[in-house]
Amino acid sequence: MPASVITPPGPTLHDGVREACDRIIQLLLLNLQKLVYNRAGPSLADSPPRAIPFLDALRCHVRELCVETLRLERKRFLWQHQLLALLAVYSAPHCASDALFFLLALARTPEELALATQLYAVLSSCLCDLLPATVATCVSQIHAGRLPEPQLAQLLRNLAAVL
């Protein structure tokens, strides 16, 4: 989201308001984290895991969330990165490899690329075969011809840098 959506033009927000908003976002992320990690596991005796409508609605916006996270704006990118990780765990396995693919394809600086490696570090502790799935996603996107040449070149440079 552009900064103008969060902070209207005119006088800047009071620090107390900004801190309260940060606190609210952290509490919402904590609640989402509890919902994601405390979902019932799939077994024959259990009912299907509980749906989280907010994350279900975000599934089709992974690319946009990655783009916004890569903007590295103030504290916003921190909670966006956390949200991306929760969405990836909730919607595994495809969402996790898609998120890593988008971060690898769109990152232009070492700081931005670090977000991909940080996300991988978080996700690899709870998702098996994440690296092969991410490589497969990258290869399928390349074979499908979905990347413009500059973005393809950036993806390959970033893959070379992290490997």
Side-chain angles (χ1 to χ4, degrees):
M1 253 181 226
S4 61
V5 172
I6 304 297
T7 55
T12 60
L13 289 175
H14 186 272
D15 285 340
V17 172
R18 189 174 305 281
E19 289 171 17
C21 290
D22 287 340
R23 181 74 177 141
I24 290 169
I25 288 171
Q26 289 304 317
L27 290 172
L28 289 170
L29 285 170
L30 179 61
N31 189 42
L32 270 178
Q33 181 177 341
K34 288 177 183 177
L35 290 172
V36 168
Y37 287 104
N38 291 333
R39 292 175 69 206
S43 76
L44 295 176
D46 292 338
S47 60
R50 265 183 43 200
I52 304 172
F54 176 70
L55 294 177
D56 287 333
L58 275 180
R59 280 183 184 166
C60 60
H61 299 285
V62 173
R63 185 184 190 286
E64 292 91 341
L65 186 54
C66 289
V67 168
E68 288 301 317
T69 303
L70 289 169
R71 292 175 75 190
L72 297 174
E73 289 186 6
R74 279 195 241 169
K75 293 180 183 179
R76 188 179 314 162
F77 82 94
L78 296 171
W79 65 259
Q80 288 169 331
H81 195 260
Q82 286 178 286
L83 181 59
L84 191 56
L86 291 171
L87 179 61
V89 170
Y90 175 75
S91 302
H94 299 293
C95 188
S97 59
D98 287 347
L100 287 168
F101 161 73
F102 288 125
L103 291 175
L104 288 167
L106 299 170
R108 293 187 189 121
T109 66
E111 293 80 15
E112 292 175 355
L113 186 56
L115 293 176
T117 58
Q118 291 166 9
L119 184 63
Y120 176 78
V122 169
L123 297 178
S124 65
S125 67
C126 59
L127 300 175
C128 60
D129 298 327
L130 182 57
L131 184 58
T134 302
V135 171
T137 299
C138 292
V139 170
S140 71
Q141 292 291 329
I142 292 168
H143 283 290
R146 292 192 181 116
L147 296 173
E149 243 181 78
Q151 201 173 21
L152 174 59
Q154 188 66 50
L155 172 64
L156 296 175
R157 277 193 297 275
N158 288 341
L159 284 171
V162 297
L163 297 176

